[in-house]
């Protein structure tokens, strides 16, 4: 590569990695804070501020950053800056699309999907380690929610049992504190885990471009910018995802919220401890579902949950398609100019998705509104019967007479 | 299937997940019950010392677990 254009290409990759980091924070706020917002343990703005601060702290807390991306899933030999860039584009676009539909989906799976797609486009099927992909990504995506549903439902059931005859206001008062504590832990763990992924990518790019030596640690500006990008994303809050997690799956009260978040924190930390990493998003969603399963008489909207599971199954192929397309475009234009074109397209697509989202904005003001399932006609009819004064629906006798008169 | 699922790790996650993830909320619930459950307030309207000790022991254990988890994250053990 020419020495003049190389720094620019590096800058583009770093910027894109920070953008991915931003969408990661943005997309995953709900994992930690959706239940606290739904049960009103925290005001929406307080919740995202707390979560953002803890993500920021978490990013600095532990620095075991490794310059790897999709290790054991993609052949390390074919990872070039162009593949990384295309993979990031796939991850960002999938994050934004799922956010638009309010679907929580794993940011790390989206990134892996994007890189796998780009690797396929770059080197064909031999570039991907398929059994690694199945064992580390696809199967855990099925297992994580099941484990979390189980743990969350057992916890909720026990909590409900022991507090069944405690006055509701006392329960709410104390469990809200428990909820805030456990949600904070999830935020902290997220900041540590996920900010490091972006740091790793940027370090990888810096090494590939010979900007730092191969055995270099993470430069401070990388840590700082990754932490800030994620915190900013978290603070802006993926309100659409928060709304689905907090209101869409289960009607939550603080006892369930506390049990769900504790289950999430425990399963996330234990799974990485035992070297069987499960996605934060899958675990958090499963725990919330579990808190509905564990409460007698609680309604769980399995149709909403089913849509999520579908999204998780297509995360890798969908992000992969985008990643492959981005890589194709990069090669088609050719040279470093290709990377700039890919970056420009990414900016345009992101802007388009954002503009589209403004048609029906979801923000801190309406995040807790009643959930209205779109396709549930019966409940809408039932609602209108309840809401309307039946007398207004009947035609008064004299007007009925008039109408008949006109008809004649 | 053993090639695709690490059964032992999964079993550990499930077992310890249950102990910690369901156990801590239960402990917290017992603390709440001790402070505000039926019969918590005696005739003088106060919570007895014994109940307070039990409650704060439960809450204390939960707080300790959270502090331990933070230390664990900070130590890079994840």
């Amino acid at each position: 590569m020419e020495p003049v254009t190389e720094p620019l290409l590096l800058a583009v990759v770093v910027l894109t990695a920070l953008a991915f980091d931003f969408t990661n924070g943005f997309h995953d706020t709900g994992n930690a804070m959706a239940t606290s917002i739904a049960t009103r343990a925290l005001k929406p703005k307080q919740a995202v501020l707390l979560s953002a601060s803890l993500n920021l702290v978490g990013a600095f807390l532990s620095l075991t950053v490794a310059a790897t991306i999709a290790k054991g899933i993609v052949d390390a030999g074919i990872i070039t800056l162009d593949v990384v860039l295309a993979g990031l584009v796939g991850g960002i676009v999938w994050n934004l699309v799922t956010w638009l539909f309010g679907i929580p989906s794993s940011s790390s799976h989206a990134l892996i999907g994007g890189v796998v797609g780009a690797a396929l486009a770059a080197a064909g099927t031999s570039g991907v380690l398929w059994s690694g992909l199945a064992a580390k990504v696809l199967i855990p995506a099925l297992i994580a929610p099941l484990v979390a549903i189980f743990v969350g439902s057992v916890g909720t059931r026990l909590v409900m049992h022991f507090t069944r005859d405690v006055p509701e206001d006392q329960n709410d008062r104390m469990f809200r504190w428990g909820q805030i504590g456990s949600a904070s832990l999830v935020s902290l763990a997220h900041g540590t885990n996920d900010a490091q992924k972006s740091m790793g990518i940027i370090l990888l790019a810096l090494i590939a471009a010979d900007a730092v030596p191969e055995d270099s640690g993470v430069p401070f500006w990388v840590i700082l910018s990754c932490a800030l990008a994620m915190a900013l994303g978290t603070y802006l809050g993926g309100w659409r995802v928060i709304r689905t997690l907090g209101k869409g799956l289960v009607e939550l009260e603080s006892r369930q919220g506390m049990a769900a978040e504790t289950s999430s924190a425990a399963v996330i930390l234990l799974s990485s401890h035992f070297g069987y990493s499960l996605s934060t998003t899958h675990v958090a969603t499963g725990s919330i579902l579990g808190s509905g399963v564990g409460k007698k008489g609680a309604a769980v909207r399995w149709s909403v949950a089913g849509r999520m599971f579908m999204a998780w199954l297509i995360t890798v192929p969908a992000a992969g398609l985008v990643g492959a397309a981005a890589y194709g475009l990069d090669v088609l234009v050719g040279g470093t100019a290709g990377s700039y074109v890919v970056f420009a397209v990414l900016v345009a697509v992101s802007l388009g998705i954002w503009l589209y989202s403004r048609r029906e904005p979801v923000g801190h003001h309406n995040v807790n509104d009643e959930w209205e399932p779109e396709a549930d006609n019966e409940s809408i009819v039932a609602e209108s019967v309840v809401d309307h004064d039946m007398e207004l629906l009947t035609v008064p006798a004299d007007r009925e007479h008039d109408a008949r008169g006109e008809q004649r | 299937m053993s090639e695709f699922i690490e059964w032992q790790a999964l079993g550990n996650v499930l077992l310890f997940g249950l102990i910690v993830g369901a156990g801590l909320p239960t402990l917290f619930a017992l603390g709440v019950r001790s402070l505000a459950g039926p019969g918590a307030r005696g005739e003088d309207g106060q919570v007895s010392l014994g109940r307070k000790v039990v409650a704060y022991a439960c809450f204390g254990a939960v707080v300790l677990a959270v502090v331990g988890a933070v230390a664990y994250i900070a130590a890079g053990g994840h």
Side-chain angles (χ1 to χ4, degrees):
Chain A
M1 265 184 274
E2 302 93 313
V4 186
T5 49
E6 191 188 276
L8 264 176
L9 175 62
L10 181 61
V12 165
V13 174
V14 170
L15 264 183
T16 314
L18 289 177
F20 174 77
D21 201 27
F22 174 83
T23 64
N24 191 340
F26 187 69
H27 210 282
D28 292 356
T29 320
N31 292 337
M33 287 300 164
T35 60
S36 304
I37 293 172
T39 64
R40 298 188 161 76
L42 288 167
K43 292 196 180 95
K45 285 218 157 175
Q46 288 174 339
V48 291
L49 185 62
L50 176 64
S51 184
S53 315
L54 288 165
N55 265 290
L56 192 69
V57 173
F60 284 99
L61 205 50
S62 160
L63 293 172
T64 46
V65 182
T68 55
I69 177 173
K71 191 183 172 197
I73 296 167
V74 173
D75 182 3
I78 60 162
I79 298 206
T80 60
L81 273 189
D82 296 303
V83 170
V84 172
L85 179 66
L88 285 168
V89 169
I92 292 172
V93 170
W94 179 250
N95 268 353
L96 289 177
V97 169
T98 46
W99 162 74
L100 187 63
F101 290 105
I103 299 173
S105 90
S106 165
S107 299
S108 41
H109 282 199
L111 177 63
I112 289 171
V115 173
V116 165
L120 276 176
T125 50
S126 63
V128 179
L129 312 172
W130 295 102
S131 63
L133 183 64
K136 289 189 179 179
V137 182
L138 302 180
I139 292 173
L142 298 173
I143 289 176
L146 296 179
V147 171
I149 287 175
F150 184 59
V151 173
S153 64
V154 171
T156 305
R157 174 61 63 87
L158 289 169
V159 165
M160 289 294 173
H161 175 76
F162 286 118
T163 55
R164 67 191 181 283
D165 41 16
V166 176
E168 201 183 320
D169 59 323
Q170 295 287 325
N171 266 338
D172 273 345
R173 191 170 61 87
M174 287 187 260
F175 273 97
R176 275 177 184 168
W177 281 107
Q179 228 189 326
I180 294 169
S182 50
S184 300
L185 203 54
V186 176
S187 289
L188 201 65
H190 182 263
T192 318
N193 264 324
D194 284 36
Q196 281 179 10
K197 284 177 194 148
S198 306
M199 293 180 205
I201 294 171
I202 294 177
L203 184 60
L204 192 72
L206 291 174
I207 292 172
D210 282 330
V212 296
E214 201 149 307
D215 54 353
S216 160
V218 189
F220 181 73
W221 66 266
V222 174
I223 301 171
L224 184 68
S225 54
C226 282
L228 285 176
M230 177 166 284
L232 183 65
T234 307
Y235 179 67
L236 290 180
W239 296 108
R240 290 163 182 270
V241 180
I242 293 176
R243 178 162 164 69
T244 307
L245 278 173
K247 301 296 283 187
L249 293 171
V250 180
E251 288 298 328
L252 289 163
E253 56 160 298
S254 42
R255 287 180 288 171
Q256 291 165 287
M258 191 268 183
E261 290 306 330
T262 312
S263 154
S264 296
V267 173
I268 291 163
L269 289 173
L270 284 167
S271 73
S272 49
H273 174 71
F274 288 115
Y276 195 65
S277 281
L278 301 175
S279 155
T280 308
T281 307
H282 299 164
V283 171
T285 310
S287 294
I288 291 172
L289 283 171
S291 76
V293 174
K295 185 190 174 190
K296 279 180 195 151
V300 179
R301 292 196 190 88
W302 290 108
S303 60
V304 178
R307 259 207 321 247
M308 284 179 199
F309 293 143
M310 285 308 296
W312 297 349
L313 289 180
I314 64 169
T315 292
V316 170
L321 268 182
V322 179
Y327 188 82
L329 182 66
D330 194 336
V331 173
L332 196 69
V333 179
T336 41
S339 304
Y340 305 146
V341 171
V342 168
F343 186 69
V345 169
L346 173 67
V347 171
V349 169
S350 307
L351 199 64
I353 292 176
W354 183 74
L355 285 175
Y356 189 80
S357 80
R358 299 312 295 165
R359 289 159 38 135
E360 266 180 71
V362 178
H364 60 89
H365 56 287
N366 61 354
V367 67
N368 269 342
D369 286 359
E370 282 306 307
W371 186 264
E372 290 163 13
E374 316 154 23
D376 197 353
N377 292 327
E378 263 178 49
S379 72
I380 292 171
V381 171
E383 214 169 70
S384 56
V385 171
V386 172
D387 285 356
H388 289 84
D389 190 346
M390 288 311 286
E391 264 180 45
L392 295 176
L393 291 176
T394 53
V395 182
D398 54 326
R399 286 189 57 193
E400 199 175 6
H401 184 75
D402 286 355
R404 278 191 193 146
E406 273 169 29
Q407 265 174 10
R408 265 179 226 148
Chain B
M1 282 301 274
S2 62
E3 175 189 358
F4 290 116
I5 302 182
E6 297 169 35
W7 289 107
Q8 202 190 343
L10 183 61
N12 278 331
V13 171
L14 206 55
L15 178 66
F16 288 96
L18 267 183
I19 293 172
V20 180
L24 287 180
T26 306
L27 210 54
F28 193 88
L30 288 173
V32 170
R33 186 183 175 80
S34 184
L35 268 192
R41 290 184 189 278
E43 280 159 20
D44 54 352
Q46 295 295 312
V47 180
S48 72
L49 183 67
R51 276 180 171 268
K52 274 187 183 163
V53 169
V54 171
Y56 287 112
C58 289
F59 294 146
V62 174
V63 170
L64 261 183
V66 172
V67 172
V70 173
Y72 177 70
I73 296 173
H78 58 92

